[in-house]
Amino acid sequence: MRARILSILVSAVLIIGGSVVAATPATAAAGDAATVFNQTNAERARAGLKPLISDLALDRAADEWARVLAKSCSFTHSSSNWRATRVAKAGWSATGENIAAGYDGYNVVSAWMASPGHRANILDSRYTGVGIGYAKGTCYSSYWVQIFGWTKTAANPGAGDVGGDVRADVVAHRSDGSVMVYRGNGSGGWSGSAAAGSGWAATDRLVTMGDFTGDSVNDIGRIRADGSLQLLRGQGNGTYGAPVTIGQGWSGYRLAFGGVDFDGDRLSDVLAVTTTGVLMLHRGNGSGGWKAAGVKVGSGWGAMTAVFYAGDFNGDTRGDVLARRGDGTLWMYPTTGSSSWGRAQQVGKGWNSLTSVFSPGDFDGTGTSDVLARRSDGVLLLYRGNGKGGWGTVSTVGRGWNAFTGIG
């Protein structure tokens, strides 16, 4: 049978007024997949474009669709919804796709480049990442899939999608040492809960870490009484891996949170406030460790009684930090994506009556980042973000939450 190629141009919501993430080269899978990845970036280099990064979520989706085509002996594109369910939680908000059958890894990129639609995908300057999928078949000897992606918003805050259903969840730590996952239903409510761990000390402090290990699943950490910071890798099935110590001396931090990409390298970093009010940045290396020692990125944060990462709260595609001051006012500190801060803005007052404040990301399914807050009577409130640095409606989403010592 003759070799075939087919392309689908970018799908999902277009970015208006957003900034494109500066991508850096990365190594794709070994063998022919790496050849296709390298040839794709060579074509972009010839056109004066930045290279695409090799992203695990995009790779997995492309590989899965290649296997679908090979097994079904078919030749058709995946749907935008199918791709979104596999790559949205990794931060990719728009995708395009090239597929081919019957080519080897040294000739498929040339075939795509000879076709206007496929060439347009490969040379689309808005794309920053690509996944390469390959499978052997019977109707065709080979099936190739490229899934391209670009990011519209910052990484998801909080515990993220713990259960693998692309909905924001919440993790809570009890004083009896148990850890619970409360699964969000995607529309501002709950779809159930389950135990996710045990053996925590009552004094352990929960830290949401974002995707700290680079596998497209958010992780959590805990600061122990001895000052050690332990990482618990998210498994994507509602549980966490065994704790691994990744730092010492963290008892000197009053507050700590992760998930924010402060320096614009698309890797999750951790920010922490010392007892003297210094804000320190610890840059993650994307594989469960650190790039370098912590550096100072702020002072005067001793006045803060709560600090947390809120995702893209103001709609500028970059991550934002929300902080509550001792007087009960709530402030937004936008990041610039280049290791600095934008202009701080007050976004609320009267928040000093709340005993826990954090962001689960888009909890109600409207596409904007929200905030959950616990009152002293254990009532959990949902503050819906409007995507512009302000608020929509507020509603009660739970009771009895004062049983938890840590929520995120």
Side-chain angles (χ1 to χ4, degrees):
M1 300 177 70
R2 293 183 60 189
R4 302 175 65 185
I5 57 175
L6 194 64
S7 70
I8 184 169
L9 301 181
V10 64
S11 61
V13 179
L14 294 179
I15 301 174
I16 300 174
S19 62
V20 176
V21 177
T24 56
T27 302
D32 285 350
T35 298
V36 172
F37 175 76
N38 291 332
Q39 288 184 355
T40 298
N41 271 339
E43 295 293 347
R44 290 177 65 88
R46 277 191 280 273
L49 299 173
K50 293 180 179 178
L52 301 170
I53 64 170
S54 177
D55 179 82
L56 181 61
L58 294 174
D59 272 335
R60 284 175 173 171
D63 195 58
E64 182 181 352
W65 191 247
R67 294 196 306 270
V68 168
L69 296 179
K71 184 177 181 179
S72 62
C73 213
S74 59
F75 191 72
T76 185
H77 280 292
S78 65
S79 68
S80 60
N81 183 65
W82 185 93
R83 296 191 297 277
T85 60
R86 287 154 177 81
V87 305
K89 65 182 180 181
W92 301 104
S93 62
T95 56
E97 185 177 272
N98 286 344
I99 62 175
Y103 290 92
D104 61 41
Y106 290 93
N107 294 309
V108 65
V109 174
S110 297
W112 278 330
M113 288 298 292
S115 166
H118 302 84
R119 179 186 177 89
N121 271 337
I122 290 173
L123 300 184
D124 192 325
S125 63
R126 298 169 297 180
Y127 289 134
T128 59
V130 66
I132 309 295
Y134 169 75
K136 294 182 178 180
T138 54
C139 290
Y140 289 94
S141 60
S142 61
Y143 289 84
W144 290 98
V145 177
Q146 284 183 315
I147 293 182
F148 302 87
W150 85 62
T151 52
K152 178 183 179 182
T153 60
N156 293 324
D161 173 23
V162 181
D165 59 1
V166 201
R167 297 187 178 108
D169 304 317
V170 172
V171 174
H173 166 218
R174 285 196 178 112
S175 58
D176 64 3
S178 62
V179 175
M180 300 291 295
V181 171
Y182 287 83
R183 298 188 301 273
N185 64 8
S187 57
W190 310 100
S191 63
S193 63
S198 60
W200 285 46
T203 54
D204 286 345
R205 287 190 282 157
L206 173 68
V207 181
T208 52
M209 301 287 286
D211 177 18
F212 195 71
T213 56
D215 60 359
S216 301
V217 180
N218 276 21
D219 310 302
I220 60 173
R222 64 182 183 186
I223 299 175
R224 314 221 76 181
D226 63 3
S228 61
L229 172 63
Q230 295 184 331
L231 174 70
L232 292 85
R233 180 190 291 260
Q235 306 295 297
N237 60 3
T239 64
Y240 292 93
V244 177
T245 299
I246 59 172
Q248 299 288 349
W250 286 72
S251 56
Y253 291 124
R254 293 176 47 247
L255 305 166
F257 61 95
V260 59
D261 173 19
F262 191 71
D263 55 5
D265 62 358
R266 283 191 50 78
L267 302 177
S268 181
D269 304 317
V270 176
L271 289 169
V273 180
T274 70
T275 54
T276 58
V278 173
L279 184 65
M280 298 291 293
L281 167 68
H282 294 265
R283 299 174 62 204
N285 65 8
S287 57
W290 310 103
K291 279 189 173 182
V295 296
K296 178 180 176 181
V297 292
S299 58
W301 288 71
M304 307 303 180
T305 58
V307 185
F308 57 96
Y309 173 53
D312 178 18
F313 190 71
N314 63 1
D316 67 354
T317 77
R318 294 181 291 272
D320 304 307
V321 171
L322 296 186
R324 181 183 62 188
R325 296 182 180 176
D327 61 3
T329 56
L330 189 68
W331 290 76
M332 177 181 65
Y333 292 82
T335 67
T336 64
S338 57
S339 298
S340 62
W341 300 99
R343 183 175 64 87
Q345 295 176 265
Q346 183 177 332
V347 294
K349 59 182 179 179
W351 287 69
N352 47 0
S353 63
L354 302 166
T355 59
S356 181
V357 186
F358 63 97
S359 175
D362 178 16
F363 191 69
D364 61 359
T366 60
T368 58
S369 198
D370 307 311
V371 169
L372 288 171
R374 180 184 63 187
R375 295 194 320 219
S376 58
D377 60 1
V379 170
L380 191 67
L381 300 172
L382 171 63
Y383 289 79
R384 294 173 174 84
N386 64 8
K388 302 175 182 178
W391 307 100
T393 59
V394 182
S395 60
T396 298
V397 294
R399 300 181 185 277
W401 285 75
N402 47 8
F404 299 110
T405 60
I407 318 173

